[in-house]
Amino acid sequence: MSSNINLIDSFQEFKEFKNIDRPTVITVLEEVFRSMIRKRFGTDENVDVIVNPDNGDLEMWRTRVVMEDGFSEDDDLEIELAEAHQFDPDLEVGDDYIEQITLESFGRRAILAARQTLVSKVLELEKDEVFKKYKDREGELVIGEVYQIWKKEILVLDEDGNELILPKAEQIPADYFKKGDSIRAVVYKVDMMNSNPKIIISRTAPEFLQRLFELEVPEIFDGLITIKKIVREPGERAKVAVESYDDRIDPVGACVGMKGSRIHGIVRELRNENIDVINFTTNHSLYITRALSPARISSIKIDEDEKTAAVYLKPDQVSLAIGRGGHNIKLAGKLTGYEIDVYRENDEVEEDVDIEEFSDEIDSWIIDELKRVGLDSAKSVLSLSLEELTRRTDLEEDTIQEIVRILQSEFE
């Protein structure tokens, strides 16, 4: 028995496996020994393997039926009377002969092979458990510690020491971490790569912002306020549409908090990403108007079939509607599901010319790009510097210089 205990003691490290409980390890251990028994005796159906889960003791008992001499057909299941009497003179034909199997009888090579098999099986089980655990947690918030930083990704360890990967593409542009930093993200994608679980986490996914709101706003966590949709340009701007089924609750006010107390923590976590929280509505015109906040809309025309919206604004509101880098209008389109075109209301008496009038000199795709950022007239284009036009549009500087030359000639 002592040799059995020594072997189990040599397996004590398996108690420390992060995601495998002790009963599971014991089950695997029993199966490994049964495999050893089958290799030696041809069968394990008449062997009891007993593993004590409390102290790790192992016992193996083999039972054979006593047969008359010369009548044993299977030495693995039966034992002749003469041989049985060598161990117990009181045995008779038909009795069960029970003997204990010791580990020494298997030999050192078989024991080492068993240990290697056990290591392999437990590691495989652990990987499967990690995969299942995180596959069920996709979209959930996790907290880990930065362990290693590479050029294209960061290795993060969770509280159990499991490896999580934060790729560069899933980091907010202004993110900066060093080894040992605590990091929050959502489980974005879980796959098995070469039998190893690969857990990708994200700080740019809309779900990350949603989980942060659930942490900061109890009404969202309790289901009193529903987040209908989130769209983001990570690190720049986000728009969150919220709705409450209780008229007594102001969903926007609850999300922002007194003097911004609730949303400030979220903004800091997102590296000062601007967050617009708006009331969701099924009134498409009102929804688009709210989505273009902080700009004030003068009027709007919607084409439901084409899913387009023409929005008219005062000249001083156009830049607000478009936003820095076009983020505001782009996110408003994603949030509402409409392609939004911004048009400037011309309150000035002086003559201006619609940008479409230059279609014979300027390519239509260039005109569309100018209109996309709210530049629908000649003077609206000429009112901006070359640097500003380059920043707002996707046009080359040479192209913009040619456009300006053409438009200026109209007023000379």
Side-chain angles (χ1 to χ4, degrees):
M1 185 67 183
S2 61
S3 60
N4 293 345
I5 294 175
N6 288 338
L7 180 65
I8 300 301
D9 286 343
S10 71
F11 291 151
Q12 288 302 301
E13 63 193 81
F14 300 118
K15 294 190 299 183
E16 305 303 325
F17 273 78
K18 298 184 289 285
N19 298 283
I20 306 297
D21 55 32
R22 188 174 177 83
T24 302
V25 175
I26 295 300
T27 300
V28 174
L29 188 61
E30 180 179 341
E31 177 53 38
V32 168
F33 286 118
R34 285 194 172 277
S35 176
M36 294 171 63
I37 291 167
R38 285 192 295 271
K39 286 181 181 178
R40 180 177 174 188
F41 299 113
T43 180
D44 68 332
E45 63 184 61
N46 61 329
V47 177
D48 293 320
V49 178
I50 305 169
V51 181
N52 188 322
D54 296 324
N55 57 23
D57 286 350
L58 167 72
E59 296 181 21
M60 292 179 288
W61 299 92
R62 182 187 185 205
T63 302
R64 289 187 289 174
V65 179
V66 178
M67 305 291 291
E68 289 187 13
D69 293 342
F71 283 88
S72 175
E73 297 180 353
D74 188 342
D75 291 340
D76 292 326
L77 300 174
E78 301 168 343
I79 185 172
E80 293 186 355
L81 184 60
E83 184 182 353
H85 279 169
Q86 295 177 15
F87 305 102
D88 187 348
D90 297 330
L91 289 174
E92 298 180 359
V93 174
D95 289 346
D96 286 339
Y97 169 65
I98 302 173
E99 62 179 323
Q100 183 175 9
I101 305 173
T102 62
L103 287 172
E104 292 96 327
S105 63
F106 288 96
R108 176 178 173 78
R109 184 173 296 179
I111 293 172
L112 290 175
R115 189 183 190 285
Q116 186 174 356
T117 301
L118 182 59
V119 171
S120 176
K121 284 183 176 292
V122 173
L123 283 173
E124 186 178 325
L125 270 175
E126 185 191 24
K127 291 175 184 177
D128 287 341
E129 287 298 318
V130 172
F131 174 79
K132 291 175 187 174
K133 171 185 174 182
Y134 276 97
K135 193 67 178 175
D136 292 339
R137 293 186 64 189
E138 284 186 344
E140 289 187 16
L141 191 70
V142 291
I143 301 175
E145 181 180 305
V146 175
Y147 182 72
Q148 199 161 355
I149 301 172
W150 296 301
K151 186 175 181 179
K152 295 184 178 180
E153 60 190 22
I154 294 175
L155 176 62
V156 180
L157 299 184
D158 70 5
E159 58 183 2
D160 295 321
N162 297 312
E163 295 183 354
L164 315 175
I165 300 296
L166 178 62
K168 192 72 175 176
E170 302 302 326
Q171 298 173 35
I172 297 170
D175 272 343
Y176 174 77
F177 298 104
K178 57 184 182 296
K179 186 172 181 178
D181 283 352
S182 179
I183 191 170
R184 291 200 288 186
V186 289
V187 181
Y188 181 62
K189 189 177 180 183
V190 182
D191 289 318
M192 268 293 191
M193 304 285 288
N194 300 322
S195 299
N196 291 308
K198 185 174 183 180
I199 304 157
I200 304 296
I201 57 177
S202 172
R203 288 172 52 81
T204 63
E207 291 84 359
F208 181 51
L209 180 51
Q210 180 167 345
R211 298 296 169 254
L212 294 177
F213 266 104
E214 289 171 356
L215 283 177
E216 297 290 340
V217 185
E219 292 86 347
I220 293 178
F221 184 80
D222 295 336
L224 299 175
I225 294 176
T226 302
I227 294 179
K228 302 294 288 186
K229 191 171 184 180
I230 294 177
V231 291
R232 292 179 66 192
E233 288 288 333
E236 293 289 343
R237 199 176 200 100
K239 290 186 180 289
V240 183
V242 295
E243 184 179 34
S244 172
Y245 299 107
D246 189 334
D247 294 338
R248 296 169 298 179
I249 297 177
D250 170 19
V252 174
C255 290
V256 175
M258 289 289 291
K259 298 182 179 179
S261 58
R262 289 178 171 177
I263 205 166
H264 279 166
I266 299 174
V267 171
R268 283 195 300 271
E269 179 69 44
L270 300 184
R271 310 303 187 196
N272 294 321
E273 187 172 309
N274 290 315
I275 302 175
D276 299 326
V277 183
I278 67 171
N279 260 316
F280 175 80
T281 176
T282 54
N283 182 324
H284 297 162
S285 178
L286 180 56
Y287 194 30
I288 293 171
T289 300
R290 289 173 177 173
L292 282 171
S293 173
R296 295 190 302 275
I297 310 302
S298 297
S299 62
I300 184 171
K301 294 178 182 179
I302 293 179
D303 186 331
E304 295 288 359
D305 295 329
E306 297 295 328
K307 286 289 183 181
T308 59
V311 176
Y312 297 87
L313 310 98
K314 299 287 186 184
D316 63 340
Q317 296 296 305
V318 172
S319 60
L320 287 175
I322 295 169
R324 188 176 66 178
H327 294 311
N328 197 58
I329 192 170
K330 185 189 300 182
L331 290 176
K334 289 180 180 180
L335 188 72
T336 61
Y338 282 78
E339 183 179 334
I340 302 173
D341 292 316
V342 172
Y343 297 94
R344 176 190 302 261
E345 280 191 342
N346 188 11
D347 292 336
E348 299 176 5
V349 178
E350 62 179 308
E351 181 186 1
D352 199 354
V353 182
D354 191 294
I355 197 70
E356 292 281 0
E357 297 294 325
F358 297 90
S359 58
D360 56 337
E361 296 180 82
I362 302 174
D363 291 341
S364 60
W365 68 272
I366 296 177
I367 292 176
D368 289 340
E369 176 63 16
L370 293 171
K371 289 170 65 178
R372 183 184 70 81
V373 296
L375 304 175
D376 56 341
S377 70
K379 288 193 174 178
S380 67
V381 176
L382 294 175
S383 67
L384 300 176
S385 66
L386 292 176
E387 291 78 10
E388 183 67 11
L389 288 169
T390 303
R391 187 179 66 79
R392 287 195 185 187
T393 67
D394 290 332
L395 302 176
E396 298 289 338
E397 187 173 338
D398 291 345
T399 303
I400 291 174
Q401 289 176 345
E402 178 63 17
I403 294 168
V404 170
R405 185 193 64 76
I406 293 170
L407 298 182
Q408 284 176 335
S409 66
E410 177 68 21
F411 299 100
E412 292 175 350

